[in-house]
Amino acid sequence: MPITGLDIYKLLPKTNCKKCGFATCLAFAMALAAKKTALEKCPDVTEDAKRSLEEASEPPIKTIAFQDGDRTINLGGETVLFRHEKTFWNPCGLGVYISDEMDEEQIGKIISDFGKLTFERIGQIVRSEFIYIENKLTDTSKFVQILKRILSTSAFIIARSTNIGTLSQILKEMNKKVILSGARSSNYRDFLKLAQEMNCPLAITATSLDDISKLTAEISGQNFKNIIIELQPEDILKTVNTLTQIRRLSLKKNIRSLGYPVLVSTISQDIYSEVAEASHYIEKYASIVVTKTSEVAAHMALVSLRQNIYTDPQKPVAVEPKLYKFGNVTENSPVLITTNFSLTYYSVAPEIENSKVASYLLVVDTEGMSVLTAWAADKFTSEKVNDAMKKENLSEIVKHKKIIIPGYVSIMSGKLNDVTGWDVLVGPREASGIPKFLKSL
């Protein structure tokens, strides 16, 4: 049974000191039971109470930190069913699949492609992180060869094999950690022993939610919590429904035995269907999605979708508001004005570079809003532009007194001229028109 607010209250100091930010200890207890605060907010709670309340203070879905050397990826740790309720915290991992049944050409291509699955998007470096290798052949020699090969790459590894002895030997020999896959109710004890010894996450598989729940409860009862639930998809709709049930039961019913990250692999046969399938799993609610395709275009689409979903909807992605320089600028170089919304900046910046006209770009702090949104919300005003110009000492950097504003806010040109005393030129509405505009000055 989930612990209640009254259960928590009985273990608190009951001083109503307000140090936690709540008016009473009872209010704090109710918030903690609802997962709306953290236990460490109470500075006076005893160690015994901390141990008793540890489960109540954990997120409904456990965070699994997979660390290999100096690299760490966090999986799970989610607290809401829908992104707009708060935010999603830990972006799901994306990976590619290799089997020892594949020929050398296929394996080589996947490993080569994996090295290209790193992209820069709106100022952030995003990539696919995992290689999932499965041992299907009875003779494990080829599996060993492939595993050693990919252990030397930058990938986080998921290794699936029923040959625990072989896995143990390789991991100890190379001093590497992997996510161990293939544990079932019939064989989990051998997997668990290796996972505990190597401090590796353990991915478990079962045929139903009841069986998954029983297996995770049995494993966690042996003081091992580093668990990942691995689904074996046979039907896409059924898999999405199962992912949703796991998230709902964990968050809404507080069923701890299902509160773990979930790993799922695609089953579609062509690249377009596979990208669509993987997109469903990213949205609902996989923690790791593994695809058969390693094509760069496919993974670019998937990491872009993931980046869009795993951003805080209450905090727009923004760049630093300041004066940027493009090319060998001089005191005669033109000055363009825009907002600090990342997508706006990374649309405007390459077009300025493409123009080959050395220019300044003054980025105004609009709390990460785009041009029209910021203007409508009074975040992109003549006064704010004037303040930004003064902060950057623009009048001392260029000898002309001309600034270029986005065409979508041409309406502010008159007032901006009055406030700044500078000539205001109205630029193009779309970033794609910037090169032609700058060349015409």
Side-chain angles (χ1 to χ4, degrees), residues 197-209:
E197 187 176 355
M198 296 296 296
N199 192 24
C200 291
L202 180 60
I204 62 97
T205 302
T207 55
S208 69
L209 286 184

Side-chain angles (χ1 to χ4, degrees), residues 90-203:
N90 295 316
C92 68
L94 292 170
V96 296
Y97 174 83
I98 292 176
S99 162
D100 57 3
E101 288 185 328
M102 294 177 176
D103 60 40
E104 179 55 37
E105 185 178 351
Q106 286 178 289
I107 294 168
K109 181 181 185 306
I110 292 170
I111 294 174
S112 174
D113 285 348
F114 181 82
K116 304 170 187 174
L117 303 183
T118 300
F119 315 95
E120 181 177 352
R121 185 170 182 269
I122 58 171
Q124 298 179 2
I125 301 298
V126 290
R127 68 162 303 156
S128 296
E129 302 89 356
F130 287 90
I131 294 179
Y132 186 123
I133 175 171
E134 183 173 11
N135 173 205
K136 286 191 169 184
L137 300 177
T138 304
D139 181 356
T140 60
S141 58
K142 186 175 180 181
F143 172 75
V144 170
Q145 179 188 18
I146 301 167
L147 181 55
K148 286 184 176 181
R149 186 175 172 185
I150 63 176
L151 280 171
S152 62
T153 71
S154 62
F156 290 106
I157 310 297
I158 304 163
R160 184 178 183 87
S161 175
T162 55
N163 195 318
I164 294 298
T166 299
L167 267 177
S168 177
Q169 181 181 346
I170 299 170
L171 298 182
K172 290 175 182 176
E173 177 186 330
M174 300 192 70
N175 191 27
K176 285 283 191 175
K177 295 180 181 179
V178 302
I179 294 176
L180 297 171
S181 169
R184 299 176 179 272
S185 57
S186 59
N187 66 2
Y188 82 86
R189 289 174 181 83
D190 291 334
F191 277 91
L192 179 58
K193 183 179 178 182
L194 178 58
Q196 289 173 322
E197 187 176 355
M198 296 296 296
N199 192 24
C200 291
L202 180 60

Side-chain angles (χ1 to χ4, degrees), residues 266-285:
T266 56
I267 58 173
S268 297
Q269 297 303 311
D270 66 88
I271 185 172
Y272 302 105
S273 299
E274 194 172 15
V275 168
E277 180 187 354
S279 298
H280 286 308
Y281 299 154
I282 292 170
E283 295 164 349
K284 297 274 187 182
Y285 292 97

Side-chain angles (χ1 to χ4, degrees), residues 127-344:
R127 68 162 303 156
S128 296
E129 302 89 356
F130 287 90
I131 294 179
Y132 186 123
I133 175 171
E134 183 173 11
N135 173 205
K136 286 191 169 184
L137 300 177
T138 304
D139 181 356
T140 60
S141 58
K142 186 175 180 181
F143 172 75
V144 170
Q145 179 188 18
I146 301 167
L147 181 55
K148 286 184 176 181
R149 186 175 172 185
I150 63 176
L151 280 171
S152 62
T153 71
S154 62
F156 290 106
I157 310 297
I158 304 163
R160 184 178 183 87
S161 175
T162 55
N163 195 318
I164 294 298
T166 299
L167 267 177
S168 177
Q169 181 181 346
I170 299 170
L171 298 182
K172 290 175 182 176
E173 177 186 330
M174 300 192 70
N175 191 27
K176 285 283 191 175
K177 295 180 181 179
V178 302
I179 294 176
L180 297 171
S181 169
R184 299 176 179 272
S185 57
S186 59
N187 66 2
Y188 82 86
R189 289 174 181 83
D190 291 334
F191 277 91
L192 179 58
K193 183 179 178 182
L194 178 58
Q196 289 173 322
E197 187 176 355
M198 296 296 296
N199 192 24
C200 291
L202 180 60
I204 62 97
T205 302
T207 55
S208 69
L209 286 184
D210 284 342
D211 290 339
I212 289 172
S213 183
K214 289 175 185 176
L215 185 53
T216 59
E218 195 167 340
I219 293 172
S220 64
Q222 298 184 45
N223 199 31
F224 186 84
K225 307 283 188 181
N226 220 5
I227 301 169
I228 295 171
I229 297 169
E230 181 172 2
L231 301 183
Q232 298 295 311
E234 297 178 359
D235 175 84
I236 297 171
L237 180 58
K238 184 178 178 181
T239 302
V240 171
N241 287 338
T242 302
L243 286 164
T244 304
Q245 286 182 58
I246 290 173
R247 177 66 69 92
R248 280 188 172 277
L249 291 170
S250 302
L251 268 59
K252 301 300 182 183
K253 301 298 183 181
N254 203 29
I255 297 178
R256 290 286 181 175
S257 56
L258 292 176
Y260 295 98
V262 183
L263 162 64
V264 64
S265 299
T266 56
I267 58 173
S268 297
Q269 297 303 311
D270 66 88
I271 185 172
Y272 302 105
S273 299
E274 194 172 15
V275 168
E277 180 187 354
S279 298
H280 286 308
Y281 299 154
I282 292 170
E283 295 164 349
K284 297 274 187 182
Y285 292 97
S287 299
I288 303 176
V289 179
V290 177
T291 66
K292 292 188 294 295
T293 181
S294 59
E295 293 296 330
V296 173
H299 280 260
M300 176 59 178
L302 294 175
V303 297
S304 297
L305 172 64
R306 178 183 66 181
Q307 187 184 28
N308 290 340
I309 292 173
Y310 285 88
T311 54
D312 189 340
Q314 300 176 34
K315 292 181 181 178
V317 182
V319 298
E320 182 183 358
K322 66 176 185 179
L323 186 66
Y324 291 84
K325 302 174 183 178
F326 296 88
N328 297 318
V329 290
T330 69
E331 59 185 10
N332 297 311
S333 297
V335 180
L336 297 91
I337 310 286
T338 194
T339 69
N340 72 325
F341 178 45
S342 280
L343 194 54
T344 298

